[in-house]
Amino acid sequence: MAKLTPFLFLFFFVLLSQTFTTVYTIGVNYGTLGNDLPPPSQVAAFLKSKTTIDRVKIFDTNPDMLRAFANSGIFVTVTVGNGDIPALSKLPAASNWVAANIAPFHPQTRINRIVVGNEIMATADRNLIGRLVPAMRSLHTALRNAGINDVQVTTPHSLGILSSSDPPSTGRFRRGYDRVVFAPMLQFLRETKSPFMVNPYPYFGYSPRDNNYALFKRNRGKHDRATGKTYFNMFDAQLDAVYTAMKKLGYGDVDIVVGETGWPSVGDPNQPYVNLANAISFNWNLVRHVGSGVGTPLMPGKKFETFIFSLFNENLKPGPTVERNWGLFRPDLTPVYDVGIMRGGKSGGGKGPVVPAPVPAAGKQWCVPGPNASDDALQSNINYVCSLGTVDCKPIQAGGACFNPNTVRAHASYAMNAYYQTSGRHVFNCDFSHTGLLTSADPSHDTCRYVS
């Protein structure tokens, strides 16, 4: 039988304990640095009626945006400007801020979280860093004093808060900040049942040798000897490094929310890894992975609330080309590419999504191992597909409809095809590092039925 890592045994246990209907907790970062963007009211109506996105994070408290999301049912996270933090560390200023920016809109607009500043630790501004936790506490008190009890207060962090992260078992907050800043911050989050927000970007950890590892593609995985866990994607490794750092301070029980992550679709000539195919690979698999319930090796069974960066391509963002091409949608509300968040699988109209052409429905095709694929490579394919949480691998386990013949090639055939069929039926979804190929011959046999 195809071998399973200890992590995969846990994965199958999770699958047995839940239905295969996935509930995604996917949000978007709604930036507005563009002169061609639709009005907020149109955006809110579009997200509610055309997509499965049920939460947005905005980078201010723009009243027009807050009014636009009133009665939409969409959760809204708002942001305190970095420069406002010192004043808000005092309760009177925090009370005035809540009265001006939250109370007039809540609860008609479902403001459920305030993030205080943006990656403050990365600023190295000692005044802001020293006032950050006091400002969080003051805002929480101000909310309670105003009778608002369902709005969380937190702050987002880049992975620069860690002094070590690879392998994940070495995860540790930067010395000097661990006990002085992060311990009291995590204590506040525990007390208020609010999450620790991080912005993990495999994009920023990219190297050519880790291409597949960064993009949720098939790879041999990376083994962490200290924990015995094997990682098949960089995203999980980054989250587990943060979790390890939190646990070392005694706060492993505090939830983690992903405030930002994503992959740009267009870059400059010196960035060959920035392209449409890689953006599709990362974000498509991200959406399914975080909502699958498989969790990470150190946090099994968890679904992570995740905000993709970003909603739109923003044409006024300064810097290189890549800065203006993180969006899932164009200003006319058509998808830049498909990540499976459109209701009914339909695009928003207009030009439609720009994606590699899927195999025509008229000619059914299945993904199977190539004749020269080795058992080691096919075992890696099984490990990869079944670790994502988006494919039901129970049929190739003992007693399953596709367990026999009990060979690595047969089990890989089922897993590879299931991944290809559920990932959009794009040709590149059957590549598996050149070990897969498409066939028009149905590989189903006996009681084993292959998805088509």
Side-chain angles (χ1 to χ4, degrees):
M1 172 186 173
K3 295 176 290 186
L4 292 174
T5 64
F7 171 56
L8 287 183
F9 276 118
L10 179 56
F11 162 72
F12 288 118
F13 172 79
V14 171
L15 273 182
L16 287 170
S17 65
Q18 64 180 22
T19 64
F20 197 64
T21 300
T22 303
V23 178
Y24 302 130
T25 51
I26 291 295
V28 288
N29 286 272
Y30 180 4
T32 56
L33 292 179
N35 60 10
D36 54 358
L37 300 181
S41 58
Q42 186 179 356
V43 174
F46 169 74
L47 293 178
K48 179 180 179 179
S49 63
K50 301 296 184 181
T51 80
T52 57
I53 292 170
D54 68 348
R55 58 202 66 218
V56 298
K57 182 158 73 73
I58 64 175
F59 294 94
D60 50 27
T61 55
N62 183 315
D64 291 334
M65 294 180 72
L66 293 179
R67 280 190 288 266
F69 284 96
N71 304 310
S72 67
I74 294 174
F75 292 104
V76 179
T77 293
V78 300
T79 302
V80 171
N82 289 6
D84 293 333
I85 290 174
L88 294 179
S89 64
K90 304 297 183 182
L91 184 56
S95 297
N96 290 338
W97 190 93
V98 168
N101 297 288
I102 304 298
F105 310 101
H106 180 277
Q108 289 80 10
T109 299
R110 299 183 71 180
I111 302 171
N112 69 325
R113 187 175 296 133
I114 299 169
V115 293
V116 182
N118 186 42
E119 299 186 350
I120 293 301
M121 306 305 295
T123 68
D125 186 318
R126 293 191 176 187
N127 185 42
L128 292 181
I129 293 170
R131 302 292 183 89
L132 180 57
V133 176
M136 293 166 68
R137 286 195 173 276
S138 292
L139 283 167
H140 175 75
T141 300
L143 288 166
R144 295 300 181 268
N145 290 347
I148 300 173
N149 299 308
D150 57 353
V151 176
Q152 298 174 331
V153 178
T154 188
T155 184
H157 305 281
S158 73
L159 290 196
I161 59 176
L162 301 180
S163 60
S164 178
S165 62
D166 187 20
S169 60
T170 66
R172 181 181 296 277
F173 292 120
R174 288 161 53 191
R175 296 189 184 279
Y177 288 133
D178 50 359
R179 298 288 176 182
V180 175
V181 177
F182 288 107
M185 181 185 296
L186 288 163
Q187 179 61 33
F188 165 77
L189 296 175
R190 174 188 281 168
E191 292 171 1
T192 61
K193 296 181 173 56
S194 298
F196 190 71
M197 183 176 282
V198 293
N199 299 340
Y201 276 98
Y203 168 77
F204 292 118
Y206 179 86
S207 67
R209 63 186 177 86
D210 285 336
N211 182 80
N212 287 8
Y213 185 63
L215 291 166
F216 289 96
K217 293 183 177 181
R218 187 194 72 83
N219 62 89
R220 293 183 178 273
K222 292 191 175 185
H223 189 68
D224 188 333
R225 292 182 179 179
T227 61
K229 305 296 185 182
T230 300
Y231 290 84
F232 293 97
N233 64 80
M234 190 183 295
F235 180 81
D236 279 359
Q238 291 179 339
L239 285 183
D240 274 358
V242 172
Y243 169 76
T244 299
M246 295 166 63
K247 191 174 181 181
K248 285 176 179 176
L249 289 181
Y251 294 95
D253 58 310
V254 175
D255 282 340
I256 294 175
V257 163
V258 177
E260 291 182 26
T261 192
W263 202 279
S265 59
V266 179
D268 289 312
N270 64 340
Q271 296 177 299
Y273 56 95
V274 179
N275 54 59
L276 189 65
N278 284 353
I280 294 171
S281 179
F282 182 84
N283 283 322
W284 177 282
N285 288 300
L286 170 79
V287 168
R288 276 137 199 83
H289 184 58
V290 297
S292 68
V294 70
T296 69
L298 294 183
M299 295 179 284
K302 283 187 177 288
K303 293 182 180 180
F304 292 96
E305 181 181 352
T306 299
F307 292 84
I308 294 177
F309 191 88
S310 59
L311 180 57
F312 293 114
N313 284 334
E314 300 170 68
N315 67 350
L316 295 184
K317 290 192 74 173
T321 302
V322 70
E323 289 299 321
R324 293 175 289 281
N325 288 280
W326 288 84
L328 298 177
F329 295 94
R330 305 183 188 90
D332 66 357
L333 298 176
T334 59
V336 177
Y337 53 90
D338 179 23
V339 294
I341 57 174
M342 303 303 295
R343 292 191 183 278
K346 297 178 180 178
S347 68
K351 301 175 186 176
V354 179
V355 297
V359 176
K364 291 183 179 180
Q365 297 206 27
W366 293 263
C367 180
V368 297
N372 298 320
S374 69
D375 278 1
D376 284 346
L378 295 180
Q379 182 63 57
S380 293
N381 292 352
I382 296 170
N383 291 349
Y384 167 69
V385 170
C386 294
S387 70
L388 291 174
T390 58
V391 170
D392 184 0
C393 289
K394 291 193 297 295
I396 58 175
Q397 298 308 295
C402 298
F403 178 68
N404 290 316
N406 182 14
T407 66
V408 171
R409 177 167 289 270
H411 292 175
S413 178
Y414 180 87
M416 291 163 65
N417 179 69
Y419 175 81
Y420 166 73
Q421 301 292 350
T422 59
S423 296
R425 301 186 181 92
H426 301 122
V427 174
F428 62 80
N429 291 130
C430 185
D431 181 71
F432 288 98
S433 296
H434 310 303
T435 63
L437 57 82
L438 290 172
T439 177
S440 58
D442 186 352
S444 300
H445 56 88
D446 302 322
T447 59
C448 179
R449 312 313 300 171
Y450 276 55
V451 178
S452 65

